[in-house]
Amino acid sequence: MLLLAAGASACGSGSGAPSAAAPPAGTAPEHFTHPGVLVGKAQLAAVRKHVAAGQEPWKTAYEDMRASKYAAPDYTPHPAKTVACASNAGTDACVAEREDAIAAYTQALMWQISGDTAYADKAVEIMDAWSKTVKRHTRDDADLQTAWSGSSWARAAELVHAGYPAWKGPEVQRFKWMLRKAYLPDVTANVPDYNGNWELAMTDAAMGMAVFLEDRDLYADAVRRYRARVPAYFYLASDGALPKPPPGGTVKSADQLATYWFGQRTYRDGVGQETCRNFMHIGYSLAATAHIAETAWHQGLDLYREEADRLSAALEFHSRYQLGEAAPRWLCGGKITRTMGPDVEVALNHLQGRMGRALPQTAKLAASQRPGGTDDLFVAWETLTHAGNPTPA
């Protein structure tokens, strides 16, 4: 059995592309909404209003973003032709790529909020540098590396392309070609037996790219993977005595599932496949799940509602323990690793803000982490963009 996760040995083995068949009716939008990767037009308008009025937590969140290295006016990208990322290691290009992608997104957000086109120019500079250079990703963590960096690239490109005409057609097309050739083969690979944070992060990137590229087949494939993986990652009692097995994988028996769930054999609402590994990876999965659903929501598809009970249970379950509640013996033998990052803002904004669900533990955790910055991987500035921002699509 292949049991892998972020930082563990892994390599993709899929075809590198979704099916060429037409997407199911109603899955992909007839016309994509832009900007519509994670952050929408109304949300950006709300952020600008909050920041201009000096309201918290948006004021401090914006100031923190502006003061970060990612928003520096002299930020210098470091593109590489080959990005070779081994497990728990890799070349300098691995860190540089993730940071440059976050910088492009940060500069794009700075432009959207401040109106200063120097930030848009810097975002374009970073994206152009990589689209002129990168050709491929190699070694064990290629799927995860492209997932993390690719999700940020898609958000940055979407924000700039949706409103900055100085990013010219040939450069935009080259960037699109970069995503298709150097990222999509990895983020669409088949990884059924890997720990679920991999596929969720990969699907997050694929969903964002699908919207930017206006690729209906890729969008439909991302939706399919979300619908298959989320129920196999977060448990609800309605699933039965055992968690759902990872879709398309070899992990099926009770003993195999217990091993896959890091020794957990008692399943309660909200527990996740990597809960007993550490909360850092649970946080990655909560964030990626929300990113996918948020982008789909901006495109007219409500993936949140499909898994609202499951996602609510997972958020409340892990927030309670992240905040310090002692773990009972049935959970991970009473030992948990509280390492969750700033990962709950997007889901909280929708489930509480738009759907009116009571998520007291999640709200308390979000407040304790504000203003959430970046994990330097694929989560960035979500207090700024999504805290108390239940605007329509």
Side-chain angles (χ1 to χ4, degrees), residues 2 23 37-38 63 71 81 86 96 119 166 174 182 203 219-220 223 266 291 313 326 335 379 383:
L2 185 60
V37 176
L38 186 60
E63 290 173 349
K81 182 176 180 180
Y119 290 112
R174 186 178 62 216
T203 305
Y219 180 95
V223 171
T266 300
H291 294 166
K335 298 179 181 179
V379 174
T383 293

Side-chain angles (χ1 to χ4, degrees), residues 2-369:
L2 185 60
L3 178 59
L4 300 168
S9 177
C11 56
S13 58
S15 63
S19 170
T27 299
E30 189 66 29
H31 301 287
F32 287 94
T33 298
H34 305 289
V37 176
L38 186 60
V39 186
K41 184 176 181 180
Q43 287 174 321
L44 290 166
V47 173
R48 285 191 289 268
K49 182 177 179 180
H50 289 312
V51 171
Q55 297 171 332
E56 296 292 1
W58 307 278
K59 176 179 179 290
T60 300
Y62 175 72
E63 290 173 349
D64 285 357
M65 180 175 72
R66 183 173 59 185
S68 74
K69 65 181 181 181
Y70 297 115
D74 59 351
Y75 188 94
T76 302
H78 295 88
K81 182 176 180 180
T82 299
V83 182
C85 303
S87 300
N88 298 313
T91 62
D92 291 343
C94 302
V95 174
E97 180 183 41
R98 296 194 299 266
E99 292 188 343
D100 286 358
I102 290 174
Y105 178 55
T106 301
Q107 299 276 347
L109 269 178
M110 286 296 305
W111 164 64
Q112 284 279 353
I113 297 167
S114 71
D116 186 345
T117 57
Y119 290 112
D121 289 338
K122 179 59 69 172
V124 168
E125 176 191 330
I126 297 168
M127 291 188 288
D128 284 353
W130 277 87
S131 68
K132 291 176 182 176
T133 306
V134 69
K135 300 299 181 184
R136 62 179 184 150
H137 295 77
T138 63
R139 305 192 70 179
D140 301 335
D141 281 2
D143 300 341
L144 198 58
Q145 174 72 14
T146 51
W148 286 337
S149 54
S151 61
S152 297
W153 286 134
R155 293 167 204 159
E158 178 75 356
L159 287 181
V160 175
H161 189 235
Y164 192 59
W167 195 22
K168 300 297 185 181
E171 288 73 26
V172 173
Q173 290 305 314
R174 186 178 62 216
F175 191 83
K176 290 181 177 181
W177 187 246
M178 176 194 82
L179 295 181
R180 289 196 180 278
K181 299 299 288 185
Y183 292 84
L184 280 178
D186 294 298
V187 301
T188 56
N190 294 317
V191 291
D193 289 343
Y194 290 28
N195 285 317
N197 79 87
W198 278 69
E199 188 168 35
L200 289 168
M202 291 161 64
T203 305
D204 179 6
M207 174 65 85
M209 292 180 200
V211 173
F212 174 65
L213 295 170
E214 297 196 323
D215 188 324
R216 298 179 74 241
D217 293 332
L218 179 61
Y219 180 95
D221 190 64
V223 171
R224 176 191 63 78
R225 295 181 78 156
Y226 171 96
R227 287 171 169 164
R229 178 60 77 168
V230 173
Y233 191 88
F234 300 111
Y235 176 80
L236 279 181
S238 57
D239 296 335
L242 297 174
K244 295 178 181 292
T250 62
V251 179
K252 297 178 180 179
S253 72
D255 287 343
Q256 288 174 329
L257 284 164
T259 299
Y260 187 57
W261 284 58
F262 291 86
Q264 185 66 18
R265 288 182 177 271
T266 300
Y267 305 105
R268 306 277 177 86
D269 283 354
V271 68
Q273 184 248 313
E274 294 178 276
T275 299
C276 295
R277 184 186 185 199
N278 56 56
F279 279 23
M280 178 176 65
H281 290 89
I282 284 288
Y284 294 164
S285 297
L286 286 169
T289 297
H291 294 166
I292 299 161
E294 183 75 2
T295 296
W297 188 80
H298 284 294
Q299 302 305 321
L301 178 64
D302 195 350
L303 293 179
Y304 281 115
R305 190 168 298 277
E306 295 180 14
E307 294 295 351
D309 290 345
R310 191 181 302 276
L311 188 52
S312 296
L315 285 164
E316 286 292 278
F317 182 92
H318 293 94
S319 295
R320 183 167 74 248
Y321 293 115
Q322 178 67 27
L323 286 165
E325 184 173 320
R329 288 289 302 171
W330 66 263
L331 178 64
C332 311
K335 298 179 181 179
I336 55 176
T337 306
R338 298 178 175 88
T339 48
M340 190 184 299
D343 301 317
V344 302
E345 292 279 23
V346 176
L348 177 66
N349 183 58
H350 186 93
L351 294 168
Q352 178 178 273
R354 295 184 185 129
M355 297 185 71
R357 287 180 167 242
L359 298 172
Q361 298 297 321
T362 311
K364 184 178 179 181
L365 177 61
S368 74
Q369 296 176 325

